[in-house]
Amino acid sequence: MNELKLHPYPKALSGEIEVPGDKSISHRAVIIGSLAYGKTKVSHFLDGEDCMRTVQAFKSMGVSIEKTESTLIIEGRGAAALEEPKEPVYFGNSGTTARLMIGLLAGLPFFTTVYGDPHLSNRPMDRVVNPLKQMEATIDGRRDGSYLPLAVKGKKLKGIHYTLPVKSAQVKSAVLLAGIHAEGETKVSELTATRNHTENMLKAFNADITIDGRHTTITNKQPLKATDIYVPGDISSAAFFLAAAAIVPGSSVRLKNVGLNQTRTGIIDVLKSMGATIEINNQQSISGELLGDLTVTHGAIHSTTIEGDIIPRLIDEIPVIALLATQADGTTIIRNAEELRVKETDRIAAVVDVLSTLGANLEATADGIIIYGKTALRGGNVSAYNDHRIAMMAVIASLVAREEVVLDDASSIAISYPTFFSDLRTIMN
Ligand code: S3P
C-alpha cells in the first residue's frame, strides 16, 4: 500500500505542463508497428504500465522493441513473422491490451493463453469474443469465453459486417484488427462515434481501410508499411489539470501538445458549457492526429447536462467532471454512461463514494450521476479503488478540500500517468 496524505492547498496553480503521450494511441502504435514491415519509431510514447503490457505481449511473440525514455523503436517483420508465445501472456490491468490483442490473436496461426489481474478478470470480454466467434474464431474461457483467462486458437477468419451493440472503441478495434487477416471484407458500423485512433493509424500504415461516416471497412489486401509516429499528449491525463485550473481560485494553467482528436474532446465542450475560460492555440496535425495547446483560467462555473453522443467523447473524464460539478452552481446530470460500471472499477459507485466522503452532495443512478453543487469539500479517508482515474480525481479534489485527504493507495496512477505528481508540482507555486 502506498498511502498518501494530501494537505489543503490554499494557493493558485500556474505554469505549463506537457502531459505524457496518449494511452490509446501508444497501444495502437505498438500493435500496428509490430504488424508492419520495417522500422517504426514512436516518439512521446506513454511509458505507463498499461502500454508496457502491450510491448511485452509483442516481445513474447518475438518482435524486437527497444525503448529509451519515451521513444520506441519497433523492428516490424510483418504479422507472418510473429511467433507463438511460449508462456501465457499477461495483460495486467489493461483493458485496451486485452480487447485489441484478443482481436488480433484470433486471426494469427498459433495458440495463445491470455490472462489479467483480478480487476481485468472481472471485466467483460464477451463484447469482443462474440463478434470474433461470428468471424469463426476459436476462443474459450470462463463462462463460454466471457472472462479472462482465455485460450485463443488462432486461425483463418472470415470477414463480417458487425454493428457495435456497445459504444466501445475497443470492440471496434478488435474487429478491425481481426479483419486485417480475415478473408474478404470486414465492416464495422457504429451508431455513436467512438475514438477513431485505430482507423487513423491503420491509414497511416497504408492499410486497405475505407471510412464512410460511421462505417469502416478493412481487407487483408494491403501489407502494413512502417511509418514514424508522434503520440500527442493524452487529453484524458490533461483533463485532471484542466479541471484543477478551473476550480482552484486564481489559477491559470497551460497544457502543451494535447491530442485534440474530435472523438476525444468532450471535456473541452463540457468545460465551455460550464462557463469555464478555455483557450486553444497552436493547432497542428501529426501522424493523422490533431493536437494543440490548452489554457484554462479559473472563474465561476455552473452546472450542465451530459448525455447522448458526447458520452464516448469523454467517457474516461467523467470522474474528474463529477468533481468539477461539485464546484459548479446548480445540478449537473450525467446520463447514458452505463459503460462506467464496467471500467477499471465501477466508476459510478467509486466517484459517488469518494466525493460524498469529502462532503459533496451527489447520487448514483443506473447509468450516471447527479451532482448538486456547489459544495465546499472537507477532508477524509478515501479509497482509490485501485483505479488510476479515481486516484487522480481524489488528488485534484484535495486541492480544494478544507482539510487533509488521505488516499489509501496512489500506486495505480502509474497505469496511465507515471509523472502525475511531478507535473502537479510544477504548477504548485
Ligand atoms: C479505449 C477505449 C475506451 C476507454 C479506454 C481506452 C481505447 O474504452 O475507456 O480507456 O483505447 O480504445 P471502450 O472503448 O471500451 O469504451
Side-chain angles (χ1 to χ4, degrees):
M1 283 292 185
N2 188 2
E3 188 183 89
L4 203 64
K5 291 193 162 81
L6 301 151
H7 310 295
Y9 185 72
K11 291 191 280 181
L13 302 169
S14 68
E16 208 173 83
I17 295 174
E18 181 156 9
V19 296
D22 186 273
K23 180 157 81 71
S24 295
I25 299 176
S26 295
H27 280 295
R28 286 152 173 86
V30 177
I31 296 173
I32 300 172
S34 297
L35 298 175
Y37 289 88
K39 186 190 283 194
T40 290
K41 179 175 169 194
V42 186
S43 309
H44 205 229
F45 173 76
L46 170 61
D47 184 12
E49 283 174 18
D50 268 17
C51 296
M52 290 313 291
R53 300 293 174 201
T54 301
V55 168
Q56 283 309 329
F58 282 97
K59 282 189 168 175
S60 73
M61 290 189 274
V63 181
S64 156
I65 305 178
E66 263 180 47
K67 186 169 84 62
T68 28
E69 290 170 16
S70 62
T71 301
L72 287 188
I73 303 285
I74 306 169
E75 301 284 352
R77 290 181 294 130
L82 296 177
E83 296 160 13
E84 183 172 77
K86 293 188 183 67
E87 287 177 21
V89 181
Y90 184 54
F91 293 155
N93 191 252
S94 179
T96 306
T97 310
R99 269 68 175 257
L100 272 58
M101 292 302 294
I102 293 165
L104 173 70
L105 292 168
L108 297 178
F110 50 70
F111 176 79
T112 324
T113 318
V114 294
Y115 70 112
D117 73 4
H119 294 269
L120 189 59
S121 303
N122 275 326
R123 296 181 66 187
M125 294 296 146
D126 48 349
R127 51 181 56 201
V128 292
V129 170
N130 291 339
L132 294 169
K133 283 186 174 168
Q134 288 179 29
M135 298 174 83
E136 301 189 355
T138 306
I139 302 174
D140 211 348
R142 290 194 290 138
R143 283 193 247 162
D144 212 16
S146 297
Y147 294 96
L148 295 176
L150 293 175
V152 184
K153 176 108 184 66
K155 59 189 274 215
K156 191 82 206 163
L157 302 177
K158 291 228 159 56
I160 52 167
H161 181 182
Y162 191 66
T163 301
L164 293 182
V166 275
K167 296 172 251 176
S168 166
Q170 294 180 347
V171 177
K172 173 175 61 174
S173 302
V175 177
L176 291 174
L177 290 171
I180 301 179
H181 301 113
E183 245 172 63
E185 269 185 13
T186 298
K187 183 169 174 182
V188 185
S189 301
E190 49 186 357
L191 305 173
T192 306
T194 64
R195 65 191 69 189
N196 60 358
H197 306 301
T198 303
E199 298 91 306
N200 289 346
M201 199 168 290
L202 282 167
K203 251 198 208 161
F205 279 78
N206 198 44
D208 182 29
I209 185 166
T210 317
I211 300 155
D212 173 15
R214 300 212 176 128
H215 311 279
T216 304
T217 307
I218 193 158
T219 75
N220 62 11
K221 274 189 206 135
Q222 211 78 254
L224 301 176
K225 272 206 265 177
T227 184
D228 290 346
I229 297 288
Y230 173 83
V231 183
D234 197 328
I235 192 165
S236 299
S237 298
F240 294 99
F241 298 118
L242 298 175
I247 61 178
V248 175
S251 299
S252 182
V253 174
R254 182 177 169 101
L255 284 308
K256 284 179 65 72
N257 296 325
V258 178
L260 297 176
N261 179 314
Q262 237 270 114
T263 62
R264 297 284 301 281
T265 47
I267 177 76
I268 297 178
D269 298 357
V270 164
L271 279 165
K272 284 182 180 164
S273 76
M274 296 177 101
T277 308
I278 180 160
E279 235 184 78
I280 308 179
N281 293 298
N282 299 329
Q283 290 196 54
Q284 54 177 321
S285 184
I286 308 183
S287 315
E289 294 284 351
L290 188 67
L291 59 153
D293 301 343
L294 300 174
T295 307
V296 174
T297 306
H298 171 260
I301 52 172
H302 54 77
S303 60
T304 186
T305 295
I306 303 167
E307 61 187 345
D309 286 359
I310 199 173
I311 296 293
R313 297 179 55 231
L314 47 66
I315 189 74
D316 292 339
E317 287 65 80
I318 290 178
V320 82
I321 288 172
L323 168 62
L324 269 172
T326 69
Q327 302 307 301
D329 284 321
T331 301
T332 293
I333 298 171
I334 303 172
R335 52 167 87 95
N336 311 129
E338 60 283 348
E339 275 296 302
L340 291 178
R341 298 268 183 204
V342 290
K343 292 291 176 193
E344 282 81 335
T345 187
D346 175 344
R347 283 186 175 157
I348 292 178
V351 164
V352 171
D353 175 35
V354 171
L355 294 178
S356 58
T357 302
L358 298 181
N361 184 5
L362 73 174
E363 63 187 77
T365 62
D367 68 346
I369 308 172
I370 303 174
I371 305 110
Y372 305 95
K374 171 182 181 177
T375 43
L377 299 185
R378 53 171 186 254
N381 288 287
V382 294
S383 170
Y385 287 81
N386 228 320
D387 179 324
H388 51 135
R389 301 205 199 277
I390 301 297
M392 289 186 275
M393 175 199 74
V395 174
I396 301 301
S398 77
L399 298 173
V400 291
R402 278 191 310 238
E403 298 123 25
E404 186 177 76
V405 173
V406 181
L407 182 60
D408 66 339
D409 185 0
S411 59
S412 60
I413 293 175
I415 295 260
S416 66
Y417 201 162
T419 54
F420 174 73
F421 287 107
S422 57
D423 283 351
L424 176 58
R425 273 192 296 272
T426 65
I427 56 169
M428 295 173 89
N429 300 285

